């Protein structure tokens, strides 16, 4: 399955972004309120500045305690983000996630943010493909 197909299947309304300078506590609030695992950091909702996930916050709270909550998100986000395009295949995305040990990949088009794929989206797409393959194979066997 292609990334473009996953984006079409996703019911949510775009990517949740926060601007640089946002306090870590506000990031945690948004992750909690939106029930998501990562937020893209962007000055305008299009340009990619970084990504921050719940893991970054937990790691920093574990290291330094709650004082990190008043720092700005730049101090804990990942600035070098692995991205994909609409034309990428879910198997390639899964490989990138496995190699890089992360669960979120922003989708860019013409250098601008157009979506975000999570490992949950990829697993859902693979399960649906496997189910279709199973039905097709069963159909072929019953047809003999
Ligand atoms: P995650 O598994 O997505 O919660 O993220 C695990 C770690 O990888 C965190 O430090 C994130 O900031 C970082 N991370 C998440 N997504 C990406 C990505 N697409 N490219 C690079 N790093 C990422």
């Amino acid at each position: 399955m292609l990334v473009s197909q996953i984006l079409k299947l996703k019911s949510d309304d775009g990517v949740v972004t926060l601007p640089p300078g946002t306090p870590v506590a506000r990031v945690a609030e948004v992750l909690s309120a939106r029930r998501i695992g990562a937020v893209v950091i962007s000055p305008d909702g299009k340009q990619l500045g970084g990504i921050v996930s719940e893991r970054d916050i937990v790691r920093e709270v574990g290291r330094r305690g709650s004082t990190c909550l008043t720092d700005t998100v730049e101090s804990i986000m990942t600035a070098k983000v692995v991205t994909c395009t609409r034309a990428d295949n879910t198997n390639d995305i899964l490989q990138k996630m496995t190699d890089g040990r992360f669960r979120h990949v922003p989708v860019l088009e013409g250098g601008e943010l157009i979506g975000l794929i999570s490992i949950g989206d990829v697993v859902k797409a693979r399960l649906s493909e496997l189910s279709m393959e199973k039905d097709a194979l069963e159909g072929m066997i019953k047809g003999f």
Side-chain angles (χ1 to χ4, degrees), residues 37-38 51-56 59 76-78 80-83 100-106 116:
I51 190 162
V52 61
S53 96
E54 55 201 355
R55 284 196 184 169
D56 297 312
R59 189 194 57 227
I76 64 160
M77 74 178 190
T78 301
K80 205 172 169 211
V81 185
V82 175
T83 63
R101 293 169 173 264
F102 47 74
R103 299 165 295 176
H104 302 88
V105 177
L116 182 89

Side-chain angles (χ1 to χ4, degrees), residues 124-142:
K124 199 170 148 196
R126 273 307 285 150
L127 286 177
S128 141
E129 273 179 336
L130 287 172
S131 166
M132 283 190 289
E133 281 167 22
K134 175 183 153 285
D135 290 347
L137 285 171
E138 274 180 5
M140 281 165 66
I141 291 164
K142 284 176 189 159

Side-chain angles (χ1 to χ4, degrees), residues 17-44:
T17 68
L18 285 170
T22 303
V24 173
R26 172 70 186 141
V27 177
E29 207 178 283
V30 170
L31 290 176
S32 165
R34 304 293 295 255
R35 296 170 175 264
I36 53 175
V39 173
V40 170
I41 302 305
S42 166
D44 55 3

